[in-house]
């Protein structure tokens, strides 16, 4: 299921909503939902942001075909937009493959990249050609490294390739992942060097020429992306100087890059108290839900308070040291601490930006707060 050639459709460049427009959009959703008890929390998916990110990818890395990592956010409207824009998909299970096929995406636009698969899932995807996943040096400074679990060590590459020969399985390329939320993109140089060694090893063993290099995910959107793209291009030039001319296909499995800034989460204040001079609020989503990433990493929260409805007369912009709790009975369910916020009241909103990556897909239903049931409203629909 690999070797696809997704192409960028001529869908224009797309433009993400400004923060002001996003807030306006959220306000309109709140007003139209006013009579519904269960109308919060909700997500906003900005399809303009999706189109803009896909454009940015192809503009910076025209030779690297992106296969979006579905696990990062499997929202159906988002997946459909990606499919229409011509990306491929990285699936990790038969269920994810089924979801993507049901959008009308052909199997050659799917890579089944979970390195260790249950037998039943392999049977489901029986016609796969194989990529060998190699372990790469952990030099990317990523928040989430994969090397302790995934990737063949140098000494394991020869036995794995031999085993594939004996089983008459077709290995057509090499993959790796530098780690999710990477910050040091020189890691691509180290990783591509390891991948190149695997290409050479396969050639020495007499395997048919490998023709795919899969550089995995790890990309973040924003200014760091151009840095990553430059580091990547240099490393490719160095280790695969004639690769593309000789038919090498380069693909990637970005997840966070496409989904993170495409989604915004609107939550409501559901409770308030003041204790020791600190204003403490409860909101209706938290670390068992969309903010599960806070268990690993605290510096990523960008939020805008939105004063709504009957509270909107207040104009005071003075801010206070505040704590924001999630809704569950878990004492560790704390979303923000020592965070400056204007004074808020019950029913005001806290809007969290860049909430598309490993948020709704990783939350659970603890205490009956069903993360997977949070609705999504679509902005910038064509
Ligand atoms: C999680 C994962 C990705 C996506 O990683 P991002 O850091 O979100 O880009 C890609 N490929 C594989 C195999 C993964 O496990």
């Amino acid at each position: 299921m690999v070797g696809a050639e997704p192409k960028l459709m001529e869908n224009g460049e797309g433009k993400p909503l400004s923060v002001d427009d996003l807030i306006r959009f959220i306000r309109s959703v709140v007003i139209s939902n006013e009579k519904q008890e269960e109308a919060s929390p909700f997500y906003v998916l900005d399809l303009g942001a999706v189109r803009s990110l896909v454009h940015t990818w192809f503009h910076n890395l025209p030779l690297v075909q992106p296969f979006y990592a579905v696990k990062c956010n499997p929202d159906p409207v988002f997946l459909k937009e990606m499919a229409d824009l011509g990306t491929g998909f990285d699936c990790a299970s038969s269920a994810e493959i089924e979801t993507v096929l049901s959008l009308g995406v052909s199997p050659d636009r799917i890579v089944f990249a979970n390195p260790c698969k249950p037998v039943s899932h392999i049977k489901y995807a029986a016609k796969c050609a194989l990529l060998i996943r190699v372990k790469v040096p952990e030099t990317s400074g990523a928040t989430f490294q994969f090397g302790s679990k995934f990737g063949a060590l140098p000494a394991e590459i020869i036995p794995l390739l031999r085993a594939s020969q004996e089983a008459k399985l077709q290995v057509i390329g090499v993959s790796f992942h530098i780690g999710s939320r990477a910050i040091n993109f020189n890691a691509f140089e180290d990783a591509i060097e390891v991948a190149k060694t695997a290409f050479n090893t396969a050639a020495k063993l007499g395997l048919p020429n490998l023709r795919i290099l899969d550089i995995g995910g790890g990309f973040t959107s924003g200014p760091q992306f151009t840095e990553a793209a430059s580091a990547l291009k240099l490393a490719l030039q160095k280790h695969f100087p004639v690769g593309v001319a000789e038919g090498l296909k380069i693909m990637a499995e970005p997840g966070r890059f496409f989904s993170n800034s495409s989604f915004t989460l609107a939550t409501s204040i559901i409770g308030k108290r003041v204790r020791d001079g600190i204003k403490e609020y409860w909101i209706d989503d938290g670390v068992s839900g969309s903010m599960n990433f806070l268990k690993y990493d605290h510096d990523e929260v960008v939020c805008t308070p939105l004063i709504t409805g009957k509270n909107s007369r207040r104009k005071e912009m003075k801010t206070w040291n505040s704590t924001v709790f999630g809704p569950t009975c878990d004492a560790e369910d704390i979303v923000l601490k020592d965070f400056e916020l204007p004074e808020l009241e019950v029913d005001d909103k806290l809007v969290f930006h860049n909430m598309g990556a490993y948020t709704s897909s990783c939350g659970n239903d603890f205490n009956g707060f069903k993360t997977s049931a949070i609705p999504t409203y679509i902005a910038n629909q064509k």
Side-chain angles (χ1 to χ4, degrees):
M1 280 199 179
V2 86
E5 277 187 72
K7 280 192 200 69
L8 177 62
M9 305 290 173
E10 287 306 319
N11 237 0
E13 298 190 10
K15 204 165 171 269
L17 291 180
S18 66
V19 172
D20 283 350
D21 285 341
L22 251 175
I23 295 296
R24 221 164 284 139
F25 183 86
I26 289 169
R27 224 181 255 286
S28 71
V29 172
V30 171
I31 290 167
S32 67
N33 279 344
E34 226 151 43
K35 292 193 185 67
Q36 285 169 258
E37 289 274 303
E38 303 266 341
S40 179
F42 62 84
Y43 278 100
V44 175
L45 163 59
D46 177 3
L47 293 179
V50 179
R51 291 190 280 268
S52 160
L53 287 161
V54 171
H55 182 270
T56 301
W57 181 280
F58 281 105
H59 181 75
N60 284 278
L61 294 172
L63 295 178
V64 182
Q65 299 296 344
F67 285 65
Y68 169 68
V70 173
K71 70 170 184 204
C72 191
N73 191 321
D75 178 273
V77 179
F78 177 72
L79 293 180
K80 183 71 174 74
E81 186 73 14
M82 295 292 282
D84 290 349
L85 290 167
T87 71
F89 295 89
D90 159 9
C91 296
S93 64
S94 50
E96 284 187 355
I97 293 174
E98 225 164 288
T99 303
V100 170
L101 289 176
S102 75
L103 299 172
V105 172
S106 62
D108 65 349
R109 286 168 65 186
I110 297 175
V111 56
F112 189 8
N114 187 347
C116 190
K117 308 162 174 66
V119 170
S120 63
H121 295 216
I122 296 176
K123 284 187 179 152
Y124 175 83
K127 282 185 247 161
C128 295
L130 306 182
L131 301 176
I132 179 166
R133 169 87 171 255
V134 294
K135 178 166 154 49
V136 293
E138 299 196 333
T139 50
S140 69
T143 312
F144 305 96
Q145 295 285 1
F146 293 115
S148 62
K149 183 166 169 186
F150 302 116
L153 296 168
E156 292 166 344
I157 292 175
I158 290 179
L160 278 170
L161 291 176
R162 284 224 172 96
S164 76
Q165 274 175 315
E166 276 158 30
K168 301 208 165 28
L169 294 170
Q170 206 193 346
V171 176
I172 58 170
V174 177
S175 76
F176 61 78
H177 197 304
I178 61 166
S180 197
R181 260 195 85 204
I183 49 174
N184 173 16
F185 296 101
N186 293 328
F188 276 124
E189 154 83 42
D190 304 333
I192 285 173
E193 190 176 352
V194 173
K196 176 68 192 208
T197 313
F199 272 72
N200 293 342
T201 306
K204 271 192 222 129
L205 290 178
L207 266 71
N209 271 350
L210 301 190
R211 54 178 196 272
I212 292 184
L213 174 64
D214 177 349
I215 59 169
F219 300 88
T220 41
S221 52
Q224 277 193 318
F225 180 63
T226 30
E227 202 186 302
S230 315
L232 191 54
K233 281 189 270 200
L234 279 177
L236 288 169
Q237 260 160 27
K238 180 165 168 198
H239 296 289
F240 290 91
V242 282
V244 176
E246 285 180 354
L248 176 75
K249 292 209 169 73
I250 306 170
M251 55 184 278
E253 300 165 357
R256 186 182 304 275
F257 175 82
F258 289 116
S259 63
N260 189 41
S261 60
S262 301
F263 290 81
T264 303
L265 176 73
T267 65
S268 294
I269 310 270
I270 57 169
K272 175 181 179 180
R273 76 178 173 205
V274 181
R275 182 180 270 186
D276 299 330
I278 296 173
K279 306 209 186 286
E280 302 189 314
Y281 303 100
W282 274 254
I283 59 172
D284 49 10
D285 200 353
V287 302
S288 293
S290 304
M291 285 88 166
N292 56 83
F293 61 90
L294 291 178
K295 287 184 238 165
Y296 315 99
D297 185 6
H298 262 270
D299 30 279
E300 270 300 274
V301 184
V302 186
C303 96
T304 309
L306 201 181
I307 294 169
T308 56
K310 50 190 177 298
N311 302 323
S312 64
R313 274 161 283 119
R314 288 178 290 107
K315 285 273 182 289
E316 193 193 11
M317 282 327 283
K318 178 173 164 54
T319 61
W320 309 80
N321 184 347
S322 309
T323 300
V324 175
F325 296 117
T328 68
C329 294
D330 175 3
E332 306 287 309
D333 188 359
I334 302 169
V335 177
L336 300 169
K337 217 174 160 76
D338 289 323
F339 200 87
E340 288 289 320
L341 287 173
E343 172 133 33
L344 299 169
E345 303 297 340
V346 168
D347 285 342
D348 284 340
K349 300 263 158 200
L350 273 184
V351 175
F352 294 84
H353 303 276
N354 303 329
M355 284 295 290
Y358 307 108
T359 48
S360 51
S361 67
C362 298
N364 59 40
D365 294 351
F366 180 59
N367 266 181
F369 295 96
K370 293 197 167 55
T371 308
S372 55
I374 297 175
T376 300
Y377 292 84
I378 314 296
N380 255 323
Q381 201 139 26
K382 277 238 153 118

